[in-house]
């Protein structure tokens, strides 16, 4: 069951955020529970943000924003910020993606930008099968 996250979900969202963080190249930056919890709350409260979860006790989540594209303000883009499904529930990710796409359409977005962690190569194939095209690669370096 995909639903909009609620305040009661924050502890579980933070747990999943930590797991996502550990699977990413962002782990070098450290993980701050308060920061991630505040980000989750902002997505839940701001009309340009969304945080969806899967299940009564969430086993997956997707968070994102919608904004006027920096190349053309008439074009609104939806941007996934994080998408995580617990390993034992990995088949449910498609339902989260579809719900995020539905939200993006509903808020008037013309396109969606998704991210794939290098550690999660099967996600690339899911995006391609769902009609997404690669746009650019994202690199990161600690200073």
């Amino acid at each position: 069951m995909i639903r909009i996250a609620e305040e009661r979900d924050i502890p579980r969202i933070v747990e999943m955020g930590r797991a996502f963080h550990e699977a990413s190249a962002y782990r070098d930056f450290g993980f701050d529970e308060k920061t991630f919890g505040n980000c989750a709350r902002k997505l839940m409260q701001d009309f340009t943000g969304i945080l969806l979860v899967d299940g009564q006790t969430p086993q997956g989540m997707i968070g994102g924003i919608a904004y006027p594209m920096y190349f053309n303000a008439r074009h609104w883009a939806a941007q996934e910020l994080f998408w995580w499904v617990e390993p034992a529930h990995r088949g449910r990710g498609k339902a989260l993606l579809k719900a995020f796409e539905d939200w993006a359409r509903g808020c008037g977005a013309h396109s969606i930008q998704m991210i794939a962690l290098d550690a999660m190569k099967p996600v690339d194939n899911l995006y391609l099968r769902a009609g997404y095209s690669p746009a650019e690669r994202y690199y990161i370096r600690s200073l």
Side-chain angles (χ1 to χ4, degrees):
M1 170 187 73
I2 307 301
R3 61 183 177 80
I4 295 173
E6 301 173 10
E7 181 66 28
R8 67 183 170 90
D9 299 315
I10 294 294
R12 183 71 184 115
I13 287 166
V14 169
E15 284 177 30
M16 290 188 293
R18 181 178 294 284
F20 174 83
H21 175 264
E22 288 300 314
S24 76
Y26 300 113
R27 65 185 162 274
D28 293 344
F29 303 160
F31 182 81
D32 182 72
E33 292 182 0
K34 183 176 180 183
T35 300
F36 196 79
N38 287 341
C39 173
R41 285 182 183 91
K42 177 82 171 146
L43 293 174
M44 291 165 39
Q45 296 165 355
D46 192 323
F47 77 95
T48 61
I50 190 72
L51 179 50
L52 300 165
V53 294
D54 183 14
Q56 279 304 106
T57 300
Q59 299 300 316
M61 64 181 176
I62 190 167
I65 58 173
Y67 59 93
M69 188 65 168
Y70 38 84
F71 293 123
N72 181 344
R74 293 184 308 263
H75 180 102
W76 272 68
Q79 170 70 55
E80 170 241 339
L81 299 177
F82 51 84
W83 180 23
W84 178 259
V85 178
E86 295 289 8
H89 299 270
R90 286 278 156 89
R92 298 285 305 150
K94 292 178 190 177
L96 280 165
L97 177 59
K98 182 183 179 326
F100 182 70
E101 290 173 338
D102 290 346
W103 168 80
R105 274 187 212 88
C107 70
H110 301 96
S111 64
I112 297 176
Q113 299 172 6
M114 300 295 291
I115 303 165
L117 297 176
D118 277 346
M120 309 295 260
K121 288 294 183 192
V123 174
D124 290 339
N125 292 330
L126 185 146
Y127 288 148
L128 294 172
R129 285 191 311 272
Y132 288 82
S133 299
E136 61 183 281
R137 290 188 56 111
Y138 190 83
Y139 293 87
I140 192 166
R141 178 178 150 202
S142 293
L143 300 176

